[in-house]
Amino acid sequence: MSPVLIQASACSSSSSPGASTGPEAGTGSPPTVCNGHAELCGRAYTAVAFPGTHDADATVADQFVAADQTGNVATQLKDGVRVLHFEMQQYQGDTYLCHAVCGIGHTLLLDELKMVQTFVAANPTEVVTLLLESSNTTSDQIATAVQSSGLMPYVHTQAAGSPWPTLGDMIQKGDHVVIFNADQTSTGGTSFPWLNDRFAKTWETPWDNVAPADFAKCDADRGTKGNDIYVVDTYREDTAIASVGAAETVNNNSFLIDRLMTCKKNESTLPNFVMVNFEDVGDLYKDVDILNGFTPAPNDDLTKFPPADWPGSNDGGISDSGSDSAVDSGDQ
């Protein structure tokens, strides 16, 4: 899913974190391409599969000790990622993104949001989602960062009880960013209509997968089955060190596509957010295109999934590559 690069026109700014108005709300022309494909313009947001990154902020590029991605957020968006998972907490008097422990890696939420703003401003036919988890952070602190980054004019507000719009309608209105948050510590704050309660609107497979058989589990671990968005986590949690080698065993086909098609079949639901570690290896983008119906699945026989052992590896998938990183936090 390659982004379509088009120079954006100037956008207006929003005066309040509580209001969300697209930069060209109600004045744009219907887009001919949405997230890289004309066919997606007429599909509801909930009827589209999007490639996503688990711990998108925890990168080798940003020198995280426990990195789950290689390139920074700007690189991931350029690669084609359209769902960014961030974990945030208070650190050194500000809101930081940390992989559980800020001492082994941290970036300012504001800086990451600025990269998202730069991308959507330059790519006005794209829709990007932020999948947030907050600890000891109020919704007001999140809203302040969104406002200060310049992202607020692009944020979509989903009216309660209304069906999700098509990507084309969102883009035409100027709504390029959807934000979900899980308040892990019940810190609270102001209720903003654009800040969606993550597990009231999404449901997610188990994330703590430590053996191949675990990836046959497609039911709801968090959120309630039947919520608007189905999130499928496909990354390993069986090693103390997250690595490219481990990611390759589950990001490559046939493992990844068989995992996704198994969940689609078993749950009778399209996987909307396909979340992986090290998005730059494997078949993530190819498989999202398969889910969206642009190419056929390579294998209709799912009876051999999951395999008894990790595919293509004699060492459990651990690599000595330079992108290895340490000590997983044990939470998603």
Side-chain angles (χ1 to χ4, degrees), residues 41-219:
C41 291
R43 296 187 195 176
Y45 175 80
T46 52
V48 176
F50 301 89
T53 42
H54 166 239
D55 285 330
D57 55 289
T59 71
V60 175
D62 289 312
Q63 300 181 333
F64 272 67
V65 174
D68 283 334
Q69 307 298 333
T70 303
N72 67 8
V73 162
T75 297
Q76 293 171 41
L77 289 169
K78 183 179 179 181
D79 287 348
V81 169
R82 294 297 176 265
V83 183
L84 300 164
H85 167 250
F86 292 154
E87 296 181 16
M88 74 189 77
Q89 58 184 278
Q90 295 305 297
Y91 180 66
Q92 296 182 342
D94 212 330
T95 304
Y96 276 84
L97 303 179
C98 306
H99 193 177
V101 180
C102 292
I104 61 174
H106 55 272
T107 58
L108 271 170
L109 172 61
L110 177 60
D111 290 344
E112 304 300 297
L113 294 181
K114 285 180 177 177
M115 283 190 270
V116 178
Q117 190 277 337
T118 297
F119 177 82
V120 295
N123 294 271
T125 61
E126 300 292 323
V127 172
V128 175
T129 298
L130 305 182
L131 198 62
L132 310 179
E133 294 181 19
S134 61
S135 298
N136 302 311
T137 300
T138 68
S139 58
D140 302 85
Q141 289 170 313
I142 297 171
T144 296
V146 173
Q147 177 71 12
S148 298
S149 70
L151 196 60
M152 188 62 70
Y154 301 93
V155 176
H156 172 72
T157 296
Q158 179 60 25
S162 297
W164 286 82
T166 65
L167 293 194
D169 287 343
M170 292 173 69
I171 290 167
Q172 185 175 1
K173 186 181 176 185
D175 292 355
H176 299 275
V177 179
V178 181
I179 305 179
F180 299 91
N181 184 52
D183 183 357
Q184 302 287 74
T185 50
S186 300
T187 307
T190 303
S191 178
F192 296 107
W194 50 266
L195 188 59
N196 298 283
D197 182 340
R198 177 173 163 185
F199 294 122
K201 293 190 176 178
T202 72
W203 59 291
E204 189 164 345
T205 62
W207 58 269
D208 52 346
N209 302 300
V210 299
D214 292 335
F215 289 93
K217 300 174 183 177
C218 298
D219 53 333

